[in-house]
Each structure stands twice: as structure tokens, then as C-alpha cells.
Amino acid sequence: MLDSIQEIAERNGVASATFSAIGAVKDATISFYDQMEKRYRDLRLDEPLEVLACMGNIGRLGRETIVHGHITLSDAKGQAYGGHLMRGTTVFAMEVVMTELKGIELRREFDSVTGLNQIKDLEDHTQI
Amino acid sequence: MLDSIQEIAERNGVASATFSAIGAVKDATISFYDQMEKRYRDLRLDEPLEVLACMGNIGRLGRETIVHGHITLSDAKGQAYGGHLMRGTTVFAMEVVMTELKGIELRREFDSVTGLNQIKDLEDHTQI
Amino acid sequence: MLDSIQEIAERNGVASATFSAIGAVKDATISFYDQMEKRYRDLRLDEPLEVLACMGNIGRLGRETIVHGHITLSDAKGQAYGGHLMRGTTVFAMEVVMTELKGIELRREFDSVTGLNQIKDLEDHTQI
């Protein structure tokens, strides 16, 4: 799913964008960011799931395209799960809305406080 | 809730749109799509719930208006649930943001691979 | 997190807007609206959590700026929780997309039926 979203962006020449998606996946790999140890811990959901929402953005880290998305999923009982969207999430069906940010460049830089590649140079808009 | 969203669209002459909503419902009917059996399985939540997010779109299947939404809900303990939004979900209070897609027509057609009425003719934008 | 979103709006002179956010928090205070008793019941989540989605809007109640957001969270096991976003939610990292509603004023007024300060004067768009 991550690669598919990236492919849509690249195929359409979109460098900076926000996106949201709903749909269904055959399985999912998500992660939880350990704020103390500053690393992602993977979680594997090996069953068909609804995608209740996947929200995020497309930007750049150096010359690399970065898709950053958080996904909310539900299982056959309606229970909801979620985390940071990782590679290894297989799309069954998906509807994506991608909104290009014209004139805005989402550039990421490593931030040592959080250990994350955070969006820079957008002034107040991301400084919360 | 589904009928209300459809009514807003029809009253404002909106044929294609995306929407998101937050609010609260008195009860909810949601469903999980069984990817093997290719049919929706209904789930009934018979209690007041917060609507954490409801995201989707409005399009057409032939001459029929189709509202497709996925909803994330939470109960009095903060536990989250969700699924495909079905008729039989009673609004208590709701705030909807509907964004008309001018010049874009969301038309659905039956897709035998998934068993779903999927959005067609939007080229790369939905091909994930 | 609520104050930070409000500060972004005020610093940029934004009176009416919609927003969405993803990220992570160190802890969270959320609430569930008791539809019978017409009051919010607070829930405290005292651990680091992913913000799967936070969706809402910025408007006014009299001369006061009101940030209304619903938040979906997940814990280290991927379990999802959520509710009405309250003060007392500490941001670890956050990416907010705020869309100013130019020419639209989101004004809230007390509604005795629900006990909520609901958005008024937007005609059909919020009347579901």
C-alpha cells in the first residue's frame, strides 16, 4: 500500500501532497514508535482488514520520496487497530484522495530530539 | 447518517465529492467485507458512540447516487470500533465537510475480482 | 495539543478552518459525550500513543476561538482508542494540515436538544 501511494505520486509528478484513503487490505504491517528508545516496533496483522482511514503526506528526505501515513484498521468483529503504515500491507481495494501542495515543499530532516525525520521549513504551520 | 449525507449532496446538486465527518451517533450499523465470500457482514452497535472519523466519497452507479464511507467509532470506555458505514446509523450530532469534485465524475462499475462496485475512469489516481 | 492547534490558527489569523493531524503523543485526555446526561466524561490515557487521526474544525463561540477535534489513538499493541480531544494531551510529534475556510464563518451556539455548542448558520451543509 505504501509503495502504491508512492507510485501514484511519482507517476503524476507530485512531490508534495497530503492524502487520505479508505478501503480494505489482505494483511497489514504497522508500527508503533517507541518514544524512549527512538525506534519503530513492528506489528503484524495477518488477516483481511477494513481500512477505516489512512491519512498522511508525501514529501522528501534529501532526494528520496517519503510517504508518511497512519492507518486505522478494523477486523471482522469491528475491533479497531492502527499505527504507522509500513511496507508489507497488501491492498485488496482502495480509494485514495491525493491533494498536491503546489508551492509548498515538504522536506524532512532528522530531528535528534524525537529521533524522527520531521518536516522542516514550513514555519508555524507544523510547529506544534 | 448515510441518508443524511446523501441528502446534503442531492440538495446541493453535488454528484461527485469527498467528505469527512465527526460527531456522535445513538447507534450504528457497520459492516466488514468478507474478501473470500465477496459479501458484506453486518455488525450492530446498539449504544451511543462518538464518531472519531467518517471518511468517504459520493459518486454514481448508473443513475444511482452512491455514498461510500468508512467510520471509526468509540464507546464510553474509549474503545474504538469501525467498518463500512451502513444504513441504520442514527445521528445525534454531526459536522460534515463535503468537498465537491468539480470536473471529476466518480462513476462506479462492478468489478468481478473483488465483488465490489469500484470507481472507474479516474486513471492513475485510483489505480493502487 | 488542543492549545497548539489553537495557537497555530491564531498566529496565522485563521478564524474558521478544518484540520487533520497525525503524529504521536506522550499521553492523552479524551472524553465521551454522555447523550443522556448531556455532559462529557473524561478518559485519561497515561502512556505514549500514536495519533492515527485527529480531525476537526476551528470556529467561534461568541468571541472565543473553539477548536473541536476527535482523535483516534493506538497503543504499543496496535489497539485503537479515541474520543473528543481535551486539554491535557501532550504532543511528542505532530503534522497538522489546516485548511482555512475563506468566506465561511463557523459560529457555534448552544443547542438545548443536544446540550452542545453546535455550528450554526451554514444552512444545509451541516444540517444532517
Side-chain angles (χ1 to χ4, degrees):
Chain A
M1 181 170 166
L2 204 65
D3 287 330
S4 301
I5 293 170
Q6 183 168 335
E7 201 186 311
I8 295 171
E10 289 174 348
R11 210 156 45 187
N12 290 278
V14 172
S16 293
T18 61
F19 69 87
S20 68
I22 61 171
V25 290
K26 296 179 184 178
D27 52 36
T29 309
I30 57 177
S31 65
F32 176 82
Y33 191 69
D34 187 318
Q35 298 173 14
M36 291 298 183
E37 300 196 5
K38 296 182 183 178
R39 64 182 189 87
Y40 287 102
R41 294 179 179 282
D42 282 11
L43 297 163
R44 177 74 186 155
L45 300 170
D46 221 353
E47 59 183 323
L49 298 152
E50 297 287 314
V51 177
L52 302 182
C54 182
M55 305 188 58
N57 52 65
I58 290 151
R60 292 206 166 267
L61 177 68
R63 301 178 65 171
E64 197 187 348
T65 298
I66 302 288
V67 178
H68 181 215
H70 281 199
I71 191 165
T72 313
L73 301 153
S74 63
D75 67 13
K77 290 180 182 170
Q79 280 284 347
Y81 304 89
H84 182 88
L85 179 63
M86 302 294 285
R87 282 189 164 73
T89 300
T90 315
V91 171
F92 176 76
M94 195 71 52
E95 295 167 6
V96 181
V97 180
M98 195 175 287
T99 306
E100 190 176 2
L101 298 172
K102 292 189 180 174
I104 297 174
E105 213 180 316
L106 295 188
R107 283 193 296 117
R108 292 182 179 277
E109 286 172 25
F110 182 72
D111 171 60
S112 60
V113 178
T114 58
L116 294 167
N117 295 314
Q118 292 208 305
I119 297 170
K120 295 289 174 190
D121 296 326
L122 270 182
E123 224 202 22
D124 293 346
H125 300 272
T126 55
Q127 289 175 16
I128 68 162
Chain B
M1 182 169 165
L2 203 66
D3 287 330
S4 301
I5 293 170
Q6 183 167 336
E7 200 186 312
I8 294 171
E10 289 175 347
R11 211 157 42 186
N12 290 278
V14 172
S16 293
T18 62
F19 70 87
S20 67
I22 60 171
V25 290
K26 297 180 184 178
D27 52 35
T29 308
I30 57 179
S31 65
F32 176 83
Y33 191 70
D34 188 317
Q35 298 174 14
M36 292 298 182
E37 298 196 5
K38 297 183 183 177
R39 65 182 189 86
Y40 286 103
R41 293 181 179 281
D42 282 11
L43 297 163
R44 178 74 187 156
L45 300 171
D46 220 354
E47 58 183 325
L49 298 151
E50 296 287 315
V51 176
L52 302 182
C54 182
M55 305 188 57
N57 54 64
I58 290 152
R60 292 205 167 267
L61 177 67
R63 301 178 65 171
E64 197 187 348
T65 298
I66 301 288
V67 178
H68 181 214
H70 282 200
I71 191 165
T72 314
L73 301 154
S74 63
D75 67 12
K77 290 179 182 170
Q79 280 285 347
Y81 304 88
H84 182 87
L85 179 63
M86 304 293 285
R87 281 187 166 73
T89 300
T90 315
V91 171
F92 175 75
M94 195 71 52
E95 295 168 6
V96 182
V97 179
M98 194 175 286
T99 305
E100 190 176 1
L101 299 172
K102 291 187 181 175
I104 298 174
E105 213 179 316
L106 296 188
R107 283 192 297 116
R108 293 182 178 278
E109 285 172 26
F110 182 73
D111 171 59
S112 60
V113 178
T114 57
L116 294 167
N117 295 314
Q118 293 208 305
I119 297 170
K120 295 289 175 192
D121 294 328
L122 270 182
E123 225 201 19
D124 293 347
H125 300 272
T126 54
Q127 287 175 18
I128 68 163
Chain C
M1 182 171 166
L2 204 66
D3 287 329
S4 301
I5 293 170
Q6 183 167 337
E7 201 186 310
I8 294 172
E10 289 175 349
R11 211 156 43 187
N12 289 279
V14 172
S16 292
T18 62
F19 69 87
S20 68
I22 61 172
V25 291
K26 297 179 184 178
D27 52 36
T29 309
I30 57 178
S31 65
F32 175 82
Y33 191 70
D34 188 318
Q35 298 174 14
M36 292 299 183
E37 298 196 5
K38 296 183 183 176
R39 65 182 188 86
Y40 286 104
R41 295 180 178 281
D42 282 11
L43 298 162
R44 177 74 187 156
L45 300 170
D46 220 353
E47 60 183 324
L49 298 152
E50 297 287 315
V51 176
L52 302 181
C54 181
M55 305 188 56
N57 53 64
I58 290 152
R60 293 206 165 265
L61 177 67
R63 301 179 64 172
E64 197 187 349
T65 299
I66 301 289
V67 179
H68 182 215
H70 282 198
I71 191 165
T72 314
L73 301 154
S74 63
D75 67 12
K77 290 180 182 171
Q79 281 284 347
Y81 303 88
H84 182 87
L85 178 63
M86 302 294 283
R87 281 188 165 74
T89 300
T90 315
V91 171
F92 175 76
M94 194 72 51
E95 295 168 5
V96 182
V97 180
M98 195 175 286
T99 306
E100 191 176 2
L101 299 171
K102 291 188 181 175
I104 297 174
E105 213 180 314
L106 295 188
R107 283 193 296 117
R108 292 183 178 277
E109 285 172 28
F110 181 73
D111 171 60
S112 60
V113 178
T114 58
L116 294 167
N117 295 313
Q118 293 208 304
I119 296 170
K120 294 290 173 188
D121 295 326
L122 271 183
E123 226 200 19
D124 294 344
H125 300 272
T126 54
Q127 287 177 15
I128 67 165

